[in-house]
Amino acid sequence: VGAQPGCRMLEIGSGCGSESLWAAMHGARVHGVDIRADRVAVARARQVVVERALGHPLDCRFEVCSLFDLAAEPFDVIWMEQALHHIEPREAALDRIVALLAPGGYLVVSEANAANPLLQLQLVLRRGWRTTATFVDDAGRVHPYGNERVLRAATLTRALARRGVRCEGARHFRVFPNLPLFDGTEGVERLVERLRLTPLLTHYNVVGRKG
């Protein structure tokens, strides 16, 4: 975003809008989409507060919309945080995401690490073995929904490569819970990753670029 002033950015699963608003504050033209109307309402309300504090409007808009219904020109950046594991059917979702990415554009995905056995155990205890479900939106439409259907970074990069998006970088992170007690432990995380002990890390970021 900093290197491309005015770039067009799409956030899929924009939720309450934190990252979309941050990108817009740094010069991106942002479109955030989410199927949850309540969260989009929060994002819009937060935008009003941020713009009032800044003293100027942001080039940012939020829409209640499914990825599959989105009609838009290709984007320079597509950002997804903890969203991909909720979107089904997955293969069709990846096809649509890549179609919405401009040639040379970047896809940035932040996800939970399916290679972590303790994370998988936590998910099984929470939701059982069923990894797909349905979600009914405020308009009464039924959407297929991933029930915390997490995946490995390697699985994602292979799926993107088949669609012409090459991996520019992948980094696993977080050994300890996200609590103030563990602030300053980044060095431990980096060491664990360098030792290729990725199952000990709970999250990852993947950056892909469309050829």
Side-chain angles (χ1 to χ4, degrees), residues 1-59:
V1 169
Q4 294 179 282
C7 69
R8 298 188 70 239
M9 174 178 154
L10 171 68
E11 182 176 8
I12 300 170
S14 52
C16 295
S18 298
E19 286 77 21
S20 286
L21 292 171
W22 183 93
M25 290 169 65
H26 288 77
R29 295 177 292 150
V30 183
H31 188 173
V33 296
D34 202 294
I35 61 172
R36 290 282 300 268
D38 55 346
R39 293 181 181 175
V40 170
V42 171
R44 289 170 175 166
R46 293 178 77 194
Q47 182 173 352
V48 171
V49 173
V50 171
E51 290 177 338
R52 186 180 300 129
L54 293 173
H56 62 80
L58 295 173
D59 195 342

Side-chain angles (χ1 to χ4, degrees), residues 21 41 69 84 134:
L21 292 171
D69 296 331
L84 183 59
T134 56

Side-chain angles (χ1 to χ4, degrees), residues 125-186:
L125 292 175
R126 182 193 306 170
R127 49 100 163 111
W129 296 102
R130 186 181 178 188
T131 57
T132 57
T134 56
F135 173 80
V136 181
D137 65 23
D138 287 2
R141 293 183 59 189
V142 179
H143 303 267
Y145 195 75
N147 189 12
E148 304 294 339
R149 189 176 167 228
V150 297
L151 71 168
R152 298 168 184 249
T155 303
L156 175 58
T157 56
R158 285 195 298 268
L160 293 175
R162 292 195 298 270
R163 293 167 171 83
V165 177
R166 67 179 182 273
C167 180
E168 295 279 304
R171 180 183 171 192
H172 290 76
F173 64 95
R174 189 169 293 164
V175 176
F176 305 106
N178 187 22
L179 298 170
L181 174 65
F182 300 105
D183 285 353
T185 60
E186 296 88 352

Side-chain angles (χ1 to χ4, degrees), residues 175 188-198 200-201:
V175 176
V188 176
E189 293 182 353
R190 291 177 186 273
L191 176 61
V192 170
E193 186 178 29
R194 281 199 301 272
L195 295 174
R196 300 186 182 276
L197 301 175
T198 52
L200 298 179
L201 295 152

